[in-house]
Amino acid sequence: MQKNKSITSWLVLSICFLIFICSVIFYTQNKANPKSEDLNITLTDVGFDTPITLNCTCSQADFAKYTKILRKTFKDNNKRFDQYRAYKNMNNLYTLNHEAYDHPIEMDTTFIDCLQLALKMQAENSQFDITQGALLNLWHDARENTQTPPSDEQIQEALKHIDINSIQIDGNTVRYLDSELSLDLGAIAKGYTAQLAKEALNKAGLTNGYINAGGNVVLLGEKEDGSNWKIGIQSPDSSDALVQYETKKATCLVTSGDYQRYFTYKKKKYSHIIDPQTGYPANYVRSVTVITKDSDKADALSTTLFCMSVEDGKKYLSTLDYDVQAIWIVDKDSDVSSDLETKDYKIITTDKIKNRVTLVK
């Protein structure tokens, strides 16, 4: 009888010890691998005149780390590429536009990297032009203040100072050769910043989710459940999605459209994207979405294609040595063949993605 009690006691103690060991293991594992959640934040105080959204699946602690990276990247670059304001202890785009004709200005490596990429994109196609700052300033003032288009005389004068050869770069120093030259990096800076943020987040360990920087969508990795990403592209005349693009792999989508910033004068709409050849708002298409792996190039290319006909845009993309796809939206009465149609619009895509683009019901 005593022997049986001893065996029972030993078994109870063994079970208790086993439970204790399992509890320790469970606690240790959960402490090392905190619970992952689907988390989302929209930052409205990091510049670029747009909200910046991060969505991903991770722990709360990691999400705080990733948010900090995103916030710093966008805030720093907002200062770096700001053409309207100077900052203490920093040479930025404002500094260049106000001082670079008088003497060379030393810029940091990040600024020079973006500038060199922009100049490369401009050399490939002059419909993307960062030297049209004086012209864009006229239209910015019209949109934000007077609500009246600039005069043709003002436009023709500004066009005289658009010249890629008026920029002189020597190492990290930049000098202007025209006193009226003004650079505007608005067509690439946000995409460039989103690309830097993606690379920093990937390096920090985030390989799922996305960044949405006001129409610049950057997929940070494939979806964790293995399903496809489905990204809506906005209708030009409402906030609803008109078409949907579906993909499995991480990529970037940037949309340029005439509905993003504009003003109306005498019942005519004037959008913010200016054709550097004419000096007036481009009106070839209502919107164009560029899909490629790098957000900076996608940003520049969306502006380039917006300033071209669909046919010329397709021809241009075919000359590039890297994969770029596009989706154009034009009005229904446009004289162009379509892949999809609604009662108001025609939708045209590059051949490779025809089966990935569908109308949103």
Side-chain angles (χ1 to χ4, degrees), residues 226-271:
S227 63
N228 287 347
W229 288 104
K230 296 178 180 179
I231 303 101
I233 297 170
Q234 186 178 333
S235 166
D237 295 302
S238 78
S239 59
D240 298 327
L242 180 68
V243 296
Q244 176 179 272
Y245 173 72
E246 191 166 344
T247 182
K248 186 176 183 63
K249 66 180 182 179
T251 190
C252 303
L253 294 87
V254 179
T255 300
S256 290
D258 65 4
Y259 55 87
Q260 293 169 332
R261 294 189 190 96
Y262 66 90
F263 70 95
T264 302
Y265 177 74
K266 292 186 177 180
K267 298 183 180 180
K268 183 177 179 180
K269 178 188 284 188
Y270 294 86
S271 75

Side-chain angles (χ1 to χ4, degrees), residues 10-175:
W10 181 84
L11 284 172
V12 170
L13 286 171
S14 297
I15 291 170
C16 288
F17 181 73
L18 183 61
I19 291 172
F20 171 74
I21 292 298
C22 289
S23 298
V24 170
I25 293 171
F26 179 80
Y27 173 78
T28 303
Q29 287 180 336
N30 277 273
K31 186 177 181 182
N33 302 291
K35 181 183 176 184
S36 290
E37 303 176 52
D38 185 25
L39 299 168
N40 185 87
I41 190 170
T42 297
L43 307 176
T44 58
D45 60 347
V46 293
F48 288 95
D49 195 28
T50 190
I52 311 295
T53 297
L54 173 65
N55 179 280
C56 61
T57 301
C58 62
S59 68
Q60 289 280 358
D62 281 342
F63 190 64
K65 176 179 70 174
Y66 299 144
T67 300
K68 185 176 180 180
I69 291 171
L70 186 72
R71 181 184 295 279
K72 177 172 173 51
T73 304
F74 272 87
K75 288 193 82 166
D76 286 354
N77 271 10
N78 180 65
K79 292 178 180 178
R80 184 173 279 120
F81 299 117
D82 192 338
Q83 67 193 73
Y84 300 110
R85 181 183 170 191
Y87 295 88
K88 207 172 188 180
N89 302 319
M90 175 186 227
N91 287 339
N92 68 351
L93 185 54
Y94 180 93
T95 313
L96 273 187
N97 286 340
H98 286 78
E99 300 180 24
Y101 178 71
D102 299 323
H103 56 89
I105 303 296
E106 185 165 356
M107 308 300 292
D108 66 28
T109 302
T110 301
F111 187 96
I112 292 295
D113 182 60
C114 182
L115 179 59
Q116 294 281 23
L117 175 62
L119 291 173
K120 180 178 182 293
M121 302 293 288
Q122 182 168 337
E124 291 175 355
N125 195 307
S126 60
Q127 289 302 90
F128 175 80
D129 196 322
I130 65 167
T131 68
Q132 59 174 330
L135 177 63
L136 295 179
N137 287 340
L138 289 177
W139 286 103
H140 180 271
D141 183 58
R143 188 174 65 251
E144 300 297 324
N145 299 312
T146 68
Q147 296 289 295
T148 302
S151 68
D152 189 63
E153 290 77 15
Q154 290 175 304
I155 289 170
Q156 297 308 317
E157 179 60 31
L159 284 170
K160 295 177 184 177
H161 304 287
I162 295 178
D163 186 0
I164 193 172
N165 296 312
S166 293
I167 309 169
Q168 188 177 71
I169 302 174
D170 182 11
N172 273 32
T173 64
V174 181
R175 185 164 191 174

